[in-house]
Amino acid sequence: MRKDKRLQRDLDNAEDYRSWRAAALELDELEGKADWRAEDESRDYDFRLIRARLNELRQLREEQRVSELVYALHEGLHGNLGGIANPKIYTYCRVGTKLLIEEYLHEVAICLNYLCDNEFPDFTLDDKIRFFKRTGSSFGRSGLMLSGGATLGMFHLGVIKALWSEDVLPRVLSGSSAGSIIAGAVGTRTDEELTEMFEPGGLYLDAFRLFDLRSAMRNRSLMDQGQLWHCLQQNMGDYTFEEAFERTRRIVGITVSPIEPHQHGRLLNYLTAPNVLINRASLASCAIPGVFPPVMLQAKSYDGDIIGYMPSKRWQDGTLRSDLPMLRIARLHNVNHYIVSQTNPHVVPFMKDDRARNSTGLVSLVSELARSSYGVYSKHIVETARHRMDPEGWWRVAEKLLALTNQRFSGDINIFPSQHPKKLMRMLSSPTEEDMRHFIRSGERRTWPQIERIRNSSVISRTFEACLQRMKDRGETRRDKAPGERVVRLRASSSRA
């Protein structure tokens, strides 16, 4: 009992993921959960299929039967093969899941790196590129989506830090409203610059300044948009989406909503709006109705001048139409696995911790019914109100509410903070350095229990990306090693007997 309490204290007071993970593994061992991990059998996934698949791939690789290995990988790579992505198999232990699953994923990564980094007479560079592009495209990849939430969205920075520190930060990110600030700041920074962002003073935080009554009436908004604009310029510079992509190789998307009733929300990124300024897109995405006025987007002309982008149109808060633009991200960037950092105060109370074991108690049943009923009834109420309203009056308000309630606010893996009334009262206040330390630590701690699941879910797609980059570098400069070259590997949580 004393050891159990000591380990729990170590878990609660861990300063980094390594310390948290060490305490969590020891607690799992103490509670007998390590035995569950070591046993292949479970009703939650097809362990026979995974075991057979692991043995087949390992044998083909060790016997250097390259053509058969390529065939086996091309035909049999799926993100949820045999149910290995089932959330339930990540609810038994604090760290990781079945060792068989981790060993299988590790073997797939080894096989891909083996094919990429060696020369074979019957598997040329062109064959490799074709195989990796087709199979990688078929497999898909992960994306990180950052919701709105005003100052509460600074929680996203801790999520980013935890993922970055463990080398599992997806290349594809989207942000709405407050999430666009963090996504834009990440998307304009190189790897070397990104580390500095997590230090005290790494971001300029003075974004919110209330108008006095006269200024608020004159500007028809509660907050000084000029102050927010200055904050965004300080944190992102004047990069366009295309310039940021070329600089960092990260794919950043920002959602904005139209003020016109017959327009659709847009996802701005280096493909859909390459010349639009990221900081201006974020300003529009943060334009909460009544708090900040709608925004005209800006872009760089062919000559590099700043000009209006669709100057007759104005845009506002991206959360209103598309807080998490999953469908558009999927179409543009082949994303089929979504990690969501959700901080919207109207959503978080109804989020469910997908690491929690299912309970059969009355309280759990009532809670589940409340969560499921919330979305159904809110949509029905808004839809009914919309049909009964005057099209020239409150109808547009109902339209916006309907767009809000029709959205999906969760993904495959969800990370969200605990909510307190004190936090909600300061949603539109500029965070102090102490506030930022709290937000970052909270985001890290809420992400740590999901790290191994994220690592397992993304290791194959990350390996595909790394292999394609290395092959591209070798194809362009065959004798020169690519700078910053690295091989993605799945770090085993513990050795398997």
Side-chain angles (χ1 to χ4, degrees):
M1 288 293 293
R2 285 196 298 268
K3 185 175 182 181
D4 183 80
K5 290 180 179 179
R6 176 183 63 79
L7 289 172
Q8 189 61 54
R9 283 196 303 271
D10 291 345
L11 199 71
D12 295 338
N13 299 320
E15 292 294 321
D16 53 39
Y17 178 65
R18 180 176 296 181
S19 303
W20 182 92
R21 183 173 178 274
L25 282 172
E26 198 167 349
L27 267 172
D28 283 347
E29 179 77 33
L30 193 66
E31 295 171 0
K33 295 175 180 177
D35 295 335
W36 177 87
R37 292 187 68 206
E39 295 174 354
D40 295 348
E41 293 79 5
S42 173
R43 291 179 299 176
D44 297 326
Y45 78 112
D46 190 343
F47 63 90
R48 294 181 181 85
L49 173 63
I50 301 305
R51 184 193 293 151
R53 182 77 175 157
L54 168 63
N55 293 335
E56 177 190 20
L57 294 178
R58 179 175 292 159
Q59 182 178 0
L60 292 174
R61 175 178 59 83
E62 290 176 348
E63 295 177 0
Q64 300 183 16
R65 293 154 61 185
V66 175
S67 296
E68 293 174 70
L69 178 60
V70 169
Y71 180 86
L73 289 169
H74 184 67
E75 292 294 319
L77 277 189
H78 304 283
N80 194 25
L81 181 69
I84 60 175
N86 184 355
K88 188 180 287 188
I89 60 177
Y90 286 91
T91 62
Y92 294 90
C93 302
R94 294 175 178 85
V95 178
T97 184
K98 292 287 189 180
L99 293 181
L100 173 63
I101 293 175
E102 297 181 0
E103 192 173 357
Y104 162 72
L105 295 170
H106 185 48
E107 180 61 36
V108 171
I110 290 175
C111 287
L112 292 174
N113 286 317
Y114 166 73
L115 293 173
C116 173
D117 297 330
N118 293 282
E119 295 184 3
F120 309 99
D122 54 348
F123 192 54
T124 65
L125 178 60
D126 289 339
D127 294 331
K128 288 182 184 181
I129 292 174
R130 188 180 305 111
F131 162 76
F132 276 93
K133 282 187 175 180
R134 290 180 179 178
T135 312
S137 177
S138 172
F139 187 82
R141 60 176 165 180
S142 299
L144 174 64
M145 318 195 81
L146 310 177
S147 77
T151 299
L152 302 178
M154 298 303 103
F155 171 89
H156 300 319
L157 194 57
V159 175
I160 295 282
K161 182 181 179 182
L163 298 177
W164 169 253
S165 299
E166 288 301 307
D167 197 26
V168 292
L169 177 65
R171 285 183 60 230
V172 180
L173 301 93
S174 79
S176 298
S177 196
S180 73
I181 300 177
I182 304 302
V186 172
T188 55
R189 282 167 167 78
T190 63
D191 290 352
E192 294 73 22
E193 295 166 341
L194 194 58
T195 303
E196 300 171 2
M197 191 175 73
F198 307 120
E199 301 299 325
L203 284 179
Y204 183 82
L205 304 174
D206 192 8
F208 300 105
R209 181 181 297 166
L210 273 170
F211 276 136
D212 57 39
L213 181 59
R214 180 178 298 178
S215 298
M217 293 180 66
R218 183 174 63 250
N219 292 277
R220 297 184 179 180
S221 60
L222 295 176
M223 293 282 181
D224 182 357
Q225 194 172 62
Q227 184 62 33
L228 175 60
W229 174 234
H230 177 67
C231 170
L232 298 177
Q233 287 181 306
Q234 292 294 311
N235 289 324
M236 303 176 197
D238 286 328
Y239 293 106
T240 66
F241 281 99
E242 186 173 46
E243 288 170 344
F245 172 72
E246 294 296 337
R247 188 170 193 264
T248 69
R249 308 309 294 178
R250 276 184 273 277
I251 300 170
V252 174
I254 292 177
T255 58
V256 294
S257 302
I259 62 171
E260 293 89 351
H262 302 297
Q263 296 288 330
H264 297 286
R266 290 193 61 184
L267 173 66
L268 307 172
N269 60 23
Y270 87 103
L271 293 177
T272 63
N275 301 312
V276 169
L277 297 178
I278 289 184
N279 55 22
R280 198 71 180 179
S282 181
L283 185 69
S285 193
C286 291
I288 305 169
V291 179
F292 293 111
V295 173
M296 178 184 72
L297 297 173
Q298 291 181 337
K300 284 187 182 178
S301 69
Y302 180 79
D303 297 321
D305 299 324
I306 305 298
I307 58 174
Y309 179 82
M310 301 177 67
S312 64
K313 303 297 181 184
R314 297 295 183 270
W315 307 87
Q316 59 187 353
D317 191 352
T319 300
L320 295 175
R321 292 294 180 93
S322 189
D323 190 48
L324 307 176
M326 296 181 185
L327 183 58
R328 280 172 284 175
I329 289 285
R331 288 173 176 169
L332 289 169
H333 306 301
N334 197 37
V335 171
N336 57 5
H337 179 257
Y338 302 94
I339 304 164
V340 171
S341 179
Q342 178 60 258
T343 60
N344 271 309
H346 65 284
V347 175
V348 169
F350 300 95
M351 296 287 286
K352 178 184 177 183
D353 185 356
D354 50 13
R355 282 184 52 83
R357 294 301 308 277
N358 293 332
S359 173
T360 57
L362 180 61
V363 174
S364 176
L365 176 61
V366 172
S367 177
E368 281 294 307
L369 289 174
R371 286 192 189 96
S372 60
S373 300
Y374 166 73
V376 174
Y377 286 124
S378 60
K379 291 176 187 177
H380 178 69
I381 291 170
V382 174
E383 181 71 36
T384 301
R386 184 174 71 104
H387 285 299
R388 293 179 177 270
M389 285 179 177
D390 178 5
E392 299 301 323
W394 288 93
W395 181 81
R396 291 186 180 181
V397 176
E399 278 283 294
K400 292 178 181 179
L401 289 174
L402 185 61
L404 196 64
T405 55
N406 277 335
Q407 295 183 46
R408 175 182 170 187
F409 289 101
S410 61
D412 298 289
I413 298 177
N414 301 297
I415 305 167
F416 52 93
S418 57
Q419 278 197 351
H420 300 289
K422 185 177 178 181
K423 292 181 182 178
L424 297 177
M425 294 294 290
R426 301 191 65 234
M427 277 183 61
L428 295 176
S429 300
S430 296
T432 64
E433 286 196 6
E434 180 60 32
D435 291 333
M436 286 304 297
R437 279 193 288 269
H438 172 76
F439 279 124
I440 291 174
R441 177 44 53 91
S442 175
E444 285 185 283
R445 293 195 62 83
R446 297 286 286 191
T447 306
W448 289 342
Q450 302 279 16
I451 287 289
E452 298 308 323
R453 182 180 172 191
I454 293 170
R455 195 192 309 278
N456 290 348
S457 300
S458 63
V459 63
I460 294 177
S461 60
R462 287 183 291 114
T463 304
F464 270 119
E465 289 183 354
C467 287
L468 279 168
Q469 186 60 49
R470 294 204 302 278
M471 286 186 289
K472 179 182 177 182
D473 294 335
R474 286 199 298 265
E476 293 173 350
T477 54
R478 293 181 182 274
R479 295 184 180 179
D480 297 329
K481 183 179 178 181
E485 177 177 311
R486 60 184 177 182
V487 174
V488 177
R489 296 191 183 278
L490 178 69
R491 189 178 67 191
S493 298
S494 64
S495 60
R496 179 176 168 83

